Amino acid sequence: MPSRFLTLADVTEVLNISAPQAYALVRSGELPAIQIGGRMQWRVESTELEKYIQRMYEETRARISSDGTAAHGAGDD
């Protein structure tokens, strides 16, 4: 059974981002998360991560269609 909650390390792996970037996403509220335990460690529900990814796809599509830019702009890998 897949885990319901992910650590920030899991989030960094899924999104291929740095730990500070993942931390910034949850601290800003852009990626909903909870803090648990005595050390108040962040946990992200797997469904919330999927919602975040879908939201980013939608925002990217909207931005591309509104400004007419190509999907692979300067600086993309």
Side-chain angles (χ1 to χ4, degrees):
M1 179 169 115
S3 180
R4 178 176 176 178
F5 289 96
L6 304 169
T7 65
L8 287 189
D10 296 330
V11 171
T12 64
E13 188 175 320
V14 170
L15 296 178
N16 195 27
I17 60 174
S18 70
Q21 288 172 313
Y23 182 72
L25 285 174
V26 299
R27 290 284 296 180
S28 70
E30 192 172 350
L31 177 59
I34 60 171
Q35 285 188 294
I36 60 167
R39 295 174 64 189
M40 300 303 288
Q41 296 178 344
W42 288 103
R43 293 294 183 267
V44 177
E45 199 164 0
S46 57
T47 56
E48 290 297 336
L49 181 58
E50 289 303 317
K51 288 178 192 175
Y52 171 78
I53 292 169
Q54 287 306 312
R55 211 168 47 250
M56 292 301 100
Y57 274 121
E58 291 167 10
E59 288 179 18
T60 300
R61 277 192 293 269
R63 187 177 62 251
I64 289 170
S65 65
S66 70
D67 67 12
T69 59
H72 294 283
D76 287 348
D77 295 23

